[in-house]
């Protein structure tokens, strides 16, 4: 008898609803042009978004997913402000645009709702940060392979720096420099060395069985969980998460320095 291998369907959710504050841009950093070396000409860029000589971070990052044979649909989650701008382009590219929510997890849930309305649900779903524009086909393949076997897969990379856990009595704050300075003055700082051999930085895309993530996302809303990534929701449901080797080049474009690096990489690859 011939064995019939199951064909797995996979949809992708790309979270792209962020702003450009930390890279010093006045608009969504993913709409900045990789061909430019500065964003002073930003106003002029509005009209020619996705034009002939323009390659936005968003377009470049999507390409690998669009060309992957194992991916069925791509759900792109964007802010209310960007929805109108991106709608014509998204339709042309065959992307399904979703308006984001308050937090990242709300945005992902909205995309999962869209997927859930589909007549044929996917076996798996990948959740990816739009700001990680250098994700490779090899990484996607690894995630899909482990996800098929074990039901989940998250890419991780080792941490090479010495890491310390610093606890302060103050409320956690985004302005960590100010927080440390205040804590030093008040002498309420606990500084503890951690074993970096046991610590890994987590990347995306993260892969899950669709039904598992859908169930976890519903529970998260019901009980108002606050999570930083999608794997955390699954763990709260008592399910295990399976790490796979990530890639050093799969960095998240967060700061102005990251943006400079991305532009340099992109422009060098065209030479």
């Amino acid at each position: 008898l011939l064995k019939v291998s199951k064909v797995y369907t996979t949809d992708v959710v790309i979270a792209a609803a962020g702003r450009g504050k930390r890279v010093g841009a006045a608009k969504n950093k993913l709409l900045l042009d990789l061909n430019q070396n500065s964003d002073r000409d930003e106003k002029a860029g509005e009209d020619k978004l996705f034009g002939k000589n323009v390659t936005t971070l968003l377009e470049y990052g999507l390409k690998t997913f669009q060309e992957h044979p194992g991916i069925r649909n791509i759900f792109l989650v964007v802010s209310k402000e960007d929805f109108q701008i991106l709608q014509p382009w998204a339709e042309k590219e065959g992307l399904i645009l979703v308006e984001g929510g308050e937090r990242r997890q709300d945005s992902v849930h909205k995309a999962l709702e869209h997927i859930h309305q589909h007549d044929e649900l996917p076996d798996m779903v990948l959740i990816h940060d739009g700001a990680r524009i250098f994700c490779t086909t090899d990484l996607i393949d690894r995630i899909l392979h482990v996800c098929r076997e074990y039901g989940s897969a998250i890419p991780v990379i080792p941490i090479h720096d010495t890491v310390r856990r610093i606890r302060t009595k103050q409320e956690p704050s985004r302005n960590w420099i100010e927080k440390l300075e205040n804590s030093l003055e008040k002498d309420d700082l606990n500084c503890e060395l951690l074993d970096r051999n046991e610590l890994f930085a987590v990347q995306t895309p993260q892969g899950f069985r669709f039904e598992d993530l859908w169930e976890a996302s519903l529970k998260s809303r019901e009980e108002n969980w606050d999570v930083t990534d999608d794997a955390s929701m699954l763990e709260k449901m008592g399910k295990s998460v399976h790490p796979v080797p990530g890639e050093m080049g799969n960095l998240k474009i967060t700061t102005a320095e990251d943006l400079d690096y991305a532009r340099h990489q992109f422009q060098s690859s065209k030479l």
Side-chain angles (χ1 to χ4, degrees):
L1 280 174
L2 290 173
K3 282 186 178 174
V4 180
S5 62
K6 176 171 167 43
V7 177
Y8 287 85
T9 52
T10 305
D11 285 350
V12 179
V13 172
I14 298 197
R19 307 310 303 156
K21 276 186 190 167
R22 281 187 282 176
V23 297
K27 63 179 178 185
N28 187 339
K29 63 191 169 193
L30 298 181
L31 302 184
L32 298 175
D33 185 5
L34 283 165
N35 283 305
Q36 279 181 247
N37 287 319
S38 99
D39 302 300
R40 272 174 292 211
D41 191 26
E42 217 176 283
K43 257 297 168 242
E46 286 293 332
D47 314 322
K48 55 181 188 179
L49 191 65
F50 309 119
K52 197 176 170 189
N53 300 314
V54 175
T55 303
T56 60
L57 277 77
L58 181 60
E59 284 173 287
Y60 185 78
L62 276 170
K63 210 169 166 46
T64 314
F65 292 92
Q66 288 175 304
E67 292 173 355
H68 197 287
I71 287 166
R72 185 179 69 169
N73 294 316
I74 298 175
F75 292 80
L76 183 62
V77 188
V78 300
S79 67
K80 193 175 185 176
E81 296 81 14
D82 293 336
F83 196 94
Q84 301 303 112
I85 303 170
L86 294 173
Q87 185 73 58
W89 169 79
E91 278 179 22
K92 187 166 72 69
E93 291 289 321
L95 306 167
I96 299 150
L97 221 52
V98 179
E99 195 180 298
E102 186 101 350
R103 302 165 297 175
R104 183 186 181 279
Q105 68 198 74
D106 302 324
S107 294
V108 169
H109 185 80
K110 283 188 160 197
L112 295 179
E113 281 181 327
H114 274 258
I115 296 173
H116 200 259
Q117 287 160 14
H118 200 284
D119 289 341
E120 199 183 314
L121 297 180
D123 296 292
M124 297 180 292
V125 62
L126 298 182
I127 312 291
H128 186 56
D129 288 328
R132 291 187 189 272
I133 66 170
F134 295 113
C135 173
T136 65
T137 303
D138 281 351
L139 181 56
I140 295 172
D141 287 343
R142 279 203 296 281
I143 300 290
L144 292 178
H145 175 73
V146 172
C147 192
R148 275 197 295 266
E149 290 288 309
Y150 301 104
S152 69
I154 61 166
V156 300
I157 53 170
I159 292 174
H160 296 303
D161 295 327
T162 297
V163 182
R164 285 186 172 270
R165 177 191 285 133
I166 297 174
R167 290 195 177 105
T168 69
K169 287 175 191 161
Q170 287 189 59
E171 283 297 303
S173 153
R174 272 214 175 260
N175 190 337
W176 58 277
I177 296 174
E178 199 178 288
K179 179 183 160 187
L180 286 184
E181 285 170 350
N182 290 346
S183 300
L184 277 167
E185 279 172 29
K186 294 174 188 161
D187 201 23
D188 66 357
L189 230 151
N190 182 305
C191 193
E192 169 197 356
L193 184 67
L194 299 179
D195 182 359
R196 69 179 172 204
N197 294 317
E198 295 177 353
L199 298 173
F200 291 81
V202 179
Q203 301 181 327
T204 70
Q206 297 185 0
F208 309 96
R209 282 195 191 108
F210 176 75
E211 290 291 357
D212 289 350
L213 188 62
W214 174 242
E215 192 187 332
S217 193
L218 285 172
K219 186 88 170 157
S220 164
R221 288 177 81 73
E222 211 179 282
E223 303 197 357
N224 202 23
W225 295 342
D226 197 8
V227 294
T228 54
D229 76 346
D230 309 286
S232 310
M233 288 194 298
L234 242 72
E235 286 177 314
K236 278 177 171 281
M237 296 283 287
K239 293 189 184 293
S240 55
V241 170
H242 298 83
V244 302
E247 291 174 344
M248 290 298 179
N250 183 29
L251 85 160
K252 189 175 182 181
I253 312 300
T254 306
T255 64
E257 289 78 16
D258 296 335
L259 181 58
D260 289 342
Y261 170 80
R263 283 175 162 154
H264 174 73
Q265 287 293 99
F266 173 73
Q267 291 167 22
S268 304
S269 71
K270 289 168 68 186
L271 296 175

